[in-house]
Amino acid sequence: MTGSFQQKPTDSLLFHKVEVLDRPIVADNATALRYEKTAVISLYNAGGWKTEELQRGLLTPDEIYDRIDQGTALNLDGAYICGFSLADYRKARSMEDRAVVKLAGFSAVNAFFDNGDGTDFSYADFTGSRISFESAVFGTGTVSFAGCVFSNDPADINFKKVRFGSGKVSFQFADFGNGNTCFQEAQFG
C-alpha cells in the first residue's frame, strides 16, 4: 500500500475555539429564546482534530447575574456563556465566599459554559421541580458544584449527555435531594 494513513483519534473534548458573529440566533427549543449574537464553537480533540462545530447564542455573565438579582427564572438553553462563576458574582456583590445563591427555574439545555478559570456553581440553591443541564458542554477548566443544593424536593435533575472538558469536576457535598438525578451518557474529561 502506498500513500499515508492517519487514524482519527478519539473524540474526547480537549480544546475549542470560539468566533462571535453579529448575527441573531434562535435557540433550538420550545421556548424560542432569541439571542442577538451567535457564537460558533469549534471543538477539537487531543490529536488536534476538529470533531464538531456548535452554534449557540451569546449570553454574558452580567446578563445572568442581573437575572439572579431579580430572582427571575434562569433559562440559559442554547446559550454560549463565557466567564460564568458564582464566586465572581459573590465578589462583585460583596457577599461571603460561601453565601448561598438562589438560582430559580434553572435550565441550561444545550448550553456551552466556557471559563478557563473555572465554571463555578458552588453553594447554589437550584429551585424548581425540573433542573436541566441536558446536552450542555463545559469547556476546559474546572467545574464546581461543591456544596450546591437542589432544594425543591423531589426535583428532577438532568445531567444527561453532559460533556465535561479536561478539567476537574467536583460535586463534593452536593445535595441532590430525593428526586430523580440522571447522568446517563455523561462524559467526564
Side-chain angles (χ1 to χ4, degrees):
M1 180 200 277
T2 59
S4 63
F5 175 79
Q6 187 174 14
Q7 184 174 354
K8 185 177 178 184
T10 61
D11 286 347
S12 62
L13 172 65
L14 183 65
F15 67 96
H16 59 278
K17 294 179 183 176
V18 179
E19 179 183 5
V20 176
L21 306 176
D22 233 352
R23 182 179 71 208
I25 186 171
V26 175
D28 186 20
N29 61 35
T31 60
L33 290 172
R34 186 176 194 278
Y35 299 98
E36 294 305 314
K37 294 186 178 187
T38 300
V40 179
I41 308 138
S42 299
L43 306 179
Y44 298 86
N45 64 15
W49 290 87
K50 183 177 177 180
T51 60
E52 193 172 353
E53 185 173 281
L54 308 172
Q55 292 191 20
R56 301 291 185 263
L58 182 66
L59 188 61
T60 68
D62 286 335
E63 291 172 294
I64 298 169
Y65 301 158
D66 288 344
R67 292 181 192 176
I68 294 170
D69 290 341
Q70 296 165 7
T72 58
L74 287 176
N75 188 339
L76 313 179
D77 292 356
Y80 168 77
I81 302 126
C82 184
F84 175 84
S85 167
L86 287 182
D88 292 346
Y89 172 84
R90 288 183 192 92
K91 186 175 181 180
R93 282 143 181 84
S94 302
M95 298 170 73
E96 296 291 321
D97 289 348
R98 293 186 177 191
V100 173
V101 177
K102 187 175 182 177
L103 302 180
F106 191 90
S107 182
V109 175
N110 288 318
F112 193 105
F113 294 91
D114 188 3
N115 191 346
D117 293 330
T119 301
D120 178 25
F121 283 98
S122 63
Y123 304 103
D125 179 5
F126 291 91
T127 64
S129 59
R130 302 185 75 158
I131 295 114
S132 185
F133 285 91
E134 184 172 348
S135 299
V137 177
F138 292 86
T140 54
T142 61
V143 178
S144 178
F145 285 89
C148 72
V149 175
F150 297 87
S151 65
N152 277 23
D153 208 7
D156 288 331
I157 305 156
N158 189 352
F159 283 92
K160 183 178 181 180
K161 296 183 181 180
V162 168
R163 291 187 281 175
F164 294 99
S166 57
K168 179 182 173 186
V169 179
S170 174
F171 285 92
Q172 186 175 21
F173 305 118
D175 181 355
F176 291 98
N178 295 318
N180 297 316
T181 301
C182 177
F183 279 89
Q184 183 180 356
E185 298 180 55
Q187 298 175 18
F188 292 84

